[in-house]
Amino acid sequence: MKYISTRGQAPVLSFEEAMLTGLARDGGLYVPETIPQMSAPDIAALAGLSYEEAAFRVMRPFVGDSFSDDDFAEIISRAYAGFGHAARAPMVQLAPNHFLLELFHGPTLAFKDFAMQLIGQLFQVALKRRGEKVTIVGATSGDTGSAAIEAFRGLDAVDVFILFPHGRVSEVQRRQMTTPAETNVHALALDGHFDDCQARLKDMFNHFEFRDEVALAGVNSINWARVLAQVVYYFTSAVALGAPQRKVSFTVPTGNFGDIFAGYIARRMGLPIETLVVATNQNDILHRALSGQGYVTSGVTPSISPSMDIQVSSNFERALFDAYGRDGAAVGQLMGELKEQGGFRISQGALQGLQETFASGRASEEETSAMIRQIYAETGEILCPHSAVGVKVAREHLGTTPMITLATAHPAKFPDAVEAATGQRPPLPNRMADLYERPERVSRVENDLAALEELIRERRAV
Ligand SMILES: *Cc1c(COP(=O)(O)O)cnc(C)c1O
């Protein structure tokens, strides 16, 4: 199994190399050269398996000879052992023909644990074998950082530094980053906004001397291994509702197009998915693009679903690559226009291709709150604001095909928005009820590249 860049100018890599590299050197994103297929009998055979067994069968062909069968099975088993639900990704029913896929039973209560827990174990095994160590640096507005820290804590091949904007993440998010006691974990509160965190991260990756000195690695949502991990729950949930005999549709609250792109891969592998519905909040660049209004950035407006507050949806490049017939030069040109002019038009042919698979919708702030309130009244189920965006848009696309909406975070992660909508303050699950008592460990850092690099040099174990 080989991986190629969406811009066609970077070296072809193995699964392991693509995972350790993250972003391709030509600025593109790695995608599999060919998409492995699962036949109807292969899919039917997933019924009744554990999540881990299904994960092995779905992901195995993408990994090639980077990991042995035994190693890969062991990695999967360790990745999901810390989840608080035996089914890992259980489903509940919201209404006739409408189901909610709960992806928030991982250690940090958001769906990012599915990918991050796996990638932590994959990195550890690959790096041990190579006799290498890396320094992972990430920027977060909340969920990614806590998921990364939780995934890499205590793994001795890795030091993990997470930059978050001081005073601008929720208390649960901050405590999830600052309370792990392992010495390879470093939470850095930067004096600035999330954009400053991302800018300094980018600066570090572009400072090649520093990058090589500390063996910098990234695990943001463009890492192919993260996309792959998310393909699994599309299969397990569809099979639970009768696939491959019965088609299903999915609605996915999306920011970076990572989670829904995993659904697209599942569909390309042969899972009978009718429609993939993109659900955005008021930051609706994807909804506008898929409605034919061009892909045009317009600044971020903070919302009550902050993990979807994005300006540029980085994984969308992978969908464009296929929509343009895998023409790397064409994708490179679009991305150039995006950088220089803040947007681009999608060709008629490419747009038509995208619209055959994807539908879209958006939810305003008021609609999101109203949906949390309404679903609580109708079912007793408490949604997080991101999931509520999904449910609102899904309800506009209900038909005869069963609809599965992805619930991306636990409501206790966003207690203020939920309480404002329902009057109920959702409690943390028992297994992390002592989060507010655990001691915090965090370094406050100024928004300055040299100071940051110095701190990382000093703190990392060599
Ligand atoms: C990250 C995140 C999203 C958006 O996921 P993408 O992969 O960026 O599309 C949605 N909901 C929650 C809770 C998240 O943490």
Side-chain angles (χ1 to χ4, degrees):
M1 174 55 77
K2 294 284 173 216
Y3 287 84
I4 58 173
S5 164
T6 49
R7 303 202 191 164
Q9 301 291 319
V12 174
L13 300 182
S14 69
F15 174 80
E16 178 176 319
E17 291 165 336
M19 171 183 87
L20 293 173
T21 303
L23 195 68
R25 279 173 192 273
D26 58 4
L29 279 60
Y30 275 103
V31 289
E33 197 171 45
T34 56
I35 305 290
Q37 297 298 299
M38 283 188 70
S39 66
D42 290 342
I43 296 169
L46 299 176
L49 298 184
S50 69
Y51 187 85
E52 285 81 350
E53 288 169 318
F56 181 88
R57 294 199 194 176
V58 170
M59 294 191 284
R60 184 74 192 91
F62 289 93
V63 170
D65 50 18
S66 288
F67 295 91
S68 70
D69 281 357
D70 285 353
D71 279 353
F72 193 50
E74 174 68 28
I75 283 166
I76 292 172
S77 143
R78 278 203 298 269
Y80 299 117
F83 276 51
H85 198 298
R88 311 310 183 213
M91 247 188 312
V92 298
Q93 188 163 6
L94 287 182
N97 239 10
H98 191 185
F99 300 82
L100 192 71
L101 179 59
E102 295 184 348
L103 300 175
F104 51 68
H105 295 282
T108 70
L109 306 180
F111 85 95
K112 289 186 175 69
D113 288 324
F114 277 90
M116 214 55 104
Q117 286 290 319
L118 185 79
I119 220 178
Q121 300 299 328
L122 287 167
F123 262 69
Q124 174 75 6
V125 172
L127 291 169
K128 276 274 165 195
R129 199 165 52 199
R130 291 166 163 243
E132 292 173 11
K133 295 189 73 164
V134 295
T135 304
I136 287 174
V137 184
T140 189
S141 57
D143 287 340
T144 304
S146 50
I149 283 179
E150 199 56 51
F152 288 99
R153 63 192 285 186
L155 300 183
D156 59 10
V158 173
D159 269 291
V160 57
F161 293 83
I162 298 295
L163 296 168
F164 67 87
H166 177 71
R168 292 173 204 272
V169 297
S170 81
E171 183 170 6
V172 173
Q173 289 174 324
R174 188 191 73 234
R175 286 182 171 274
Q176 284 181 335
M177 293 189 275
T178 58
T179 57
E182 287 82 355
T183 52
N184 72 324
V185 164
H186 315 269
L188 308 180
L190 185 120
D191 286 318
H193 292 268
F194 172 56
D195 288 340
D196 298 315
C197 297
Q198 269 200 311
R200 294 300 77 73
L201 179 68
K202 222 172 181 177
D203 292 345
M204 276 182 241
F205 272 91
N206 287 330
H207 182 191
F208 292 123
E209 209 182 305
F210 176 75
R211 181 175 172 168
D212 294 340
E213 180 193 337
V214 303
L216 208 57
V219 291
N220 60 11
S221 77
I222 54 96
N223 195 302
W224 168 258
R226 281 186 61 183
V227 174
L228 178 60
Q230 295 165 3
V231 175
V232 175
Y233 46 70
Y234 286 89
F235 277 91
T236 57
S237 57
V239 167
L241 290 185
Q245 288 80 11
R246 188 157 72 139
K247 281 193 172 193
V248 297
S249 289
F250 288 91
T251 300
V252 186
T254 275
N256 250 325
F257 209 76
D259 206 4
I260 194 156
F261 187 74
Y264 167 83
I265 293 292
R267 192 172 185 270
R268 291 277 316 272
M269 290 173 73
L271 186 66
I273 296 175
E274 190 168 84
T275 308
L276 287 162
V277 184
V278 170
T280 73
N281 64 22
Q282 61 194 1
N283 297 293
D284 60 353
I285 184 167
L286 285 166
H287 174 53
R288 287 184 280 114
L290 290 167
S291 315
Q293 297 172 50
Y295 188 90
V296 183
T297 57
S298 65
V300 173
T301 316
S303 78
I304 56 170
S305 46
S307 302
M308 291 153 58
D309 290 346
I310 54 100
Q311 159 101 294
V312 172
S313 197
S314 39
N315 272 294
F316 193 53
E317 179 168 344
R318 288 187 160 114
L320 287 170
F321 182 58
D322 279 4
Y324 277 81
R326 302 207 134 197
D327 179 348
V331 172
Q333 184 166 351
L334 295 179
M335 294 302 143
E337 284 175 37
L338 178 63
K339 200 167 168 187
E340 274 141 40
Q341 297 150 32
F344 54 82
R345 286 198 57 78
I346 302 173
S347 75
Q348 199 52 40
L351 184 63
Q352 245 165 30
L354 289 166
Q355 288 173 338
E356 275 161 29
T357 307
F358 298 104
S360 66
R362 84 193 285 277
S364 69
E365 293 292 272
E366 300 71 40
E367 289 166 334
T368 305
S369 286
M371 194 47 60
I372 297 175
R373 191 158 47 243
Q374 184 177 343
I375 292 294
Y376 179 57
E378 285 178 4
T379 70
E381 186 82 20
I382 299 187
L383 299 174
C384 92
H386 309 77
S387 312
V389 167
V391 168
K392 186 267 176 186
V393 172
R395 285 163 73 112
E396 297 161 357
H397 290 84
L398 291 180
T400 51
T401 305
M403 175 65 81
I404 300 171
T405 298
L406 274 51
T408 51
H410 191 286
K413 221 167 170 177
F414 303 94
D416 297 337
V418 170
E419 187 174 14
T422 63
Q424 303 289 322
R425 197 160 181 89
L428 284 168
N430 278 339
R431 65 184 195 284
M432 52 192 77
D434 68 339
L435 185 67
Y436 289 96
E437 275 93 63
R438 294 179 206 161
E440 293 192 76
R441 195 165 54 89
V442 57
S443 306
R444 180 103 174 247
V445 291
E446 54 185 309
N447 181 13
D448 175 76
L449 181 64
L452 263 171
E453 291 184 347
E454 192 45 40
L455 186 139
I456 290 172
R457 274 196 201 94
E458 273 171 24
R459 291 281 183 81
R460 62 189 270 271
V462 189

